């Protein structure tokens, strides 16, 4: 499951990014636009995670530790069996 989620170029984390930006004070509309901006770049071949980490507007609002949590797969894998096989 990890590999399948990562295969989408980390786009699965765009919602997490939007929520983190809202928590950091952006309006829902502005947070959505910012997340979509980076998602669109990812569809054009730019690495989503790198694009987000290099965005100074995002980095001014979200610190390193919180941004690491945005890209944490634990949320998406919370219902997956831990020991298969």
């Amino acid at each position: 499951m990890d590999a399948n989620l990562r295969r989408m170029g980390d786009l699965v984390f765009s919602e997490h990014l939007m929520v983190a930006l809202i928590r950091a004070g952006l309006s829902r509309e502005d947070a959505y636009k910012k997340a979509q901006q980076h998602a669109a770049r990812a569809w054009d071949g730019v690495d989503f995670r790198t694009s987000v980490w290099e965005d100074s507007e995002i980095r001014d609002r979200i610190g390193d530790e919180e941004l690491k949590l945005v890209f944490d797969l634990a949320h998406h894998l919370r219902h997956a069996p831990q020991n298969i096989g």
Side-chain angles (χ1 to χ4, degrees), residues 36-53:
Q36 287 302 105
Q37 170 191 354
H38 289 285
R41 293 185 73 214
W43 284 112
D44 289 336
V46 176
D47 181 71
F48 180 74
R49 181 187 303 243
T50 302
S51 181
V52 169
W53 276 85

Side-chain angles (χ1 to χ4, degrees), residues 23-75:
R23 275 193 242 132
L26 243 54
S27 70
R28 183 173 181 80
E29 182 179 332
D30 288 342
Y32 176 80
K33 286 178 184 177
K34 182 56 78 171
Q36 287 302 105
Q37 170 191 354
H38 289 285
R41 293 185 73 214
W43 284 112
D44 289 336
V46 176
D47 181 71
F48 180 74
R49 181 187 303 243
T50 302
S51 181
V52 169
W53 276 85
E54 291 176 350
D55 186 316
S56 61
E57 284 184 68
I58 291 174
R59 298 314 310 272
D60 287 346
R61 293 184 173 274
I62 302 175
D64 287 353
E65 293 307 311
E66 187 175 357
L67 201 50
K68 286 178 188 175
L69 291 174
V70 165
F71 289 96
D72 185 356
L73 277 175
H75 173 76

